[in-house]
Amino acid sequence: MGADTFPLTQGTYLPLNGELVLASGAGFAAFDGSWDPGCDSAATVRFTDAEHHAWFDPTLWQAMSPSGQLEPSGHIFSVDEERVPCHYDDVIFQPETSFRVNLDSSQQVIHLRSISLMGQELRSPEAWARYLRGPSAPLQFHGNGTLQVTGTGCPDKSGCACGNAPDGHRICAALLEASGRQCPALTCQSPLQPLGHCCGVCGATISLDFTPDFDLQKYRDKLVQALLSQPKYASVRMAISKVHKAETFLGVIPRSPTPLIQIVLIDDGVGAQTGTAAEQLAADIMEDITQHGESLGIANGKMEVATGSTFSGQVGSHASSRMAAGMVMGLLFSLLLLGGILLLYRKGKLR
């Protein structure tokens, strides 16, 4: 365009899904008619790289309450993989905003329960398919992944794993890039490494084996109301969710991942006090499991801690009376079977 000016007359509008393309070196200004652009001092303005926004960047997402308000930063947080929309989440792009998101993924399909954008809430596969055929979708989403709206929530009361583990490396790369490409320095020795979290933490983790009676939402509410709300735990934050732990046979042969409930507890302690409040809360949770685990649908619990004054490691475990009784009965049955075989052998009826 050189030094020429091509004004848009007053009352000229661009469509919401339109593009204004400027040649290299061209300038752009907008005003309401009461301002003379020639009287302003010169300045250089740079637009953000629209291609840089990636779906698996946790820094671009904010948790919302069911009422549509931003979740306050309180007692509950999410491990890093769950800071990106999970398979049963609702996704909202604020009305009257433009965006372009890279969907590059290790998964062919990225599942969602619903998506709201351009003032529309799409909650069914059919409605989403119609939107994808429209003119806006290709401008808003690009990359090798595909979004799929299912319209269904998690069907299991014990919770559902987030489903972002295959793209965990993308999530961590985006976080580390935003924080200077390294995890923050920690004061505890041998920090814990929660599943689905990019960096180590000081505090405590609890792994729960559960039965069909376990209800994740009810148990989360119980922990918040009965323990986290106590003044002595005001500095503690908790993440609780279902995760899948990789398993191997003899340390070599991969086995099917084991589902478990992971509780991560961190606090604001510093120095030698780092993680001590989280450790105390974890001990209270384990004590409650000892007393009420069976009625809560918890079969077994294992706790690990890393504070400013201790090494990380397993410091406590609990098996419910149901599991303990099963183990005892199994042992007795094995002894009876072995005794019967030995008796038959001595009588010469078994060789």
Side-chain angles (χ1 to χ4, degrees), residues 5 29 31 35-42:
T5 301
F31 60 100
W35 170 69
D36 185 353
C39 296
D40 195 17
S41 59

Side-chain angles (χ1 to χ4, degrees), residues 24-328:
S24 177
F28 173 76
F31 60 100
D32 61 3
S34 60
W35 170 69
D36 185 353
C39 296
D40 195 17
S41 59
T44 301
V45 178
R46 297 186 182 276
F47 286 93
T48 302
D49 180 9
E51 303 295 322
H52 183 68
H53 298 312
W55 182 272
F56 291 103
D57 183 352
T59 64
L60 300 179
W61 298 100
Q62 293 179 294
M64 306 286 287
S65 67
S67 62
Q69 302 298 316
L70 289 177
E71 286 278 5
S73 55
H75 286 302
I76 301 298
F77 75 101
S78 298
V79 295
D80 294 327
E81 286 183 6
E82 295 166 19
R83 292 171 58 188
V84 172
C86 299
H87 286 187
Y88 299 100
D89 283 345
D90 300 306
V91 172
I92 299 174
F93 290 93
Q94 295 295 341
E96 300 181 4
T97 59
S98 60
F99 59 90
R100 182 166 169 80
V101 184
N102 189 331
L103 299 179
D104 281 349
S105 172
S106 297
Q107 313 167 69
Q108 284 189 332
V109 179
I110 303 170
H111 292 95
L112 307 169
R113 180 167 69 170
S114 73
I115 187 168
S116 298
L117 71 179
M118 305 292 288
Q120 306 176 63
E121 183 181 24
L122 308 173
R123 304 189 65 88
S124 70
E126 296 77 17
W128 177 241
R130 286 194 298 271
Y131 186 83
L132 289 179
R133 291 192 295 267
S136 298
L139 300 175
Q140 295 166 335
F141 303 104
H142 67 105
N144 64 15
T146 302
L147 294 180
Q148 177 61 59
V149 172
T150 64
T152 59
C154 174
D156 192 340
K157 69 177 184 178
S158 68
C160 294
C162 178
N164 285 334
D167 288 290
H169 63 290
R170 286 186 168 86
I171 293 171
C172 292
L175 276 179
L176 293 179
E177 181 179 358
S179 62
R181 299 188 180 279
Q182 61 182 359
C183 291
L186 301 175
T187 56
C188 61
Q189 304 178 68
S190 301
L192 304 170
Q193 185 60 62
L195 294 174
H197 210 55
C198 297
C199 297
V201 300
C202 300
T205 61
I206 298 176
S207 300
L208 302 179
D209 295 322
F210 55 92
T211 71
D213 297 327
F214 181 76
D215 189 310
L216 179 61
Q217 185 60 51
K218 288 183 178 179
Y219 188 60
R220 179 191 288 113
D221 294 342
K222 169 184 167 65
L223 294 181
V224 171
Q225 295 167 11
L227 295 175
L228 268 174
S229 60
Q230 296 181 23
K232 64 180 179 179
Y233 296 134
S235 68
V236 180
R237 294 192 297 147
M238 176 183 73
I240 177 171
S241 60
K242 178 184 284 187
V243 296
H244 285 110
K245 182 178 181 181
E247 299 284 357
T248 59
F249 179 68
L250 299 177
V252 178
I253 305 174
R255 298 170 56 185
S256 298
T258 300
L260 55 87
I261 304 301
Q262 176 179 256
I263 303 174
V264 183
L265 302 169
I266 59 177
D267 60 39
D268 297 333
V270 296
Q273 298 302 311
T274 302
T276 55
E279 178 185 19
Q280 182 57 55
L281 175 56
D284 288 351
I285 293 174
M286 293 297 292
E287 178 61 28
D288 182 71
I289 292 173
T290 301
Q291 298 178 13
H292 309 292
E294 185 173 357
S295 63
L296 294 170
I298 298 174
N300 182 53
K302 182 179 71 173
M303 177 177 75
E304 293 183 303
V305 300
T307 70
S309 58
T310 63
F311 289 97
S312 65
Q314 180 179 338
V315 297
S317 62
H318 164 76
S320 71
S321 57
R322 183 186 302 174
M323 176 173 285
M327 294 174 63
V328 171

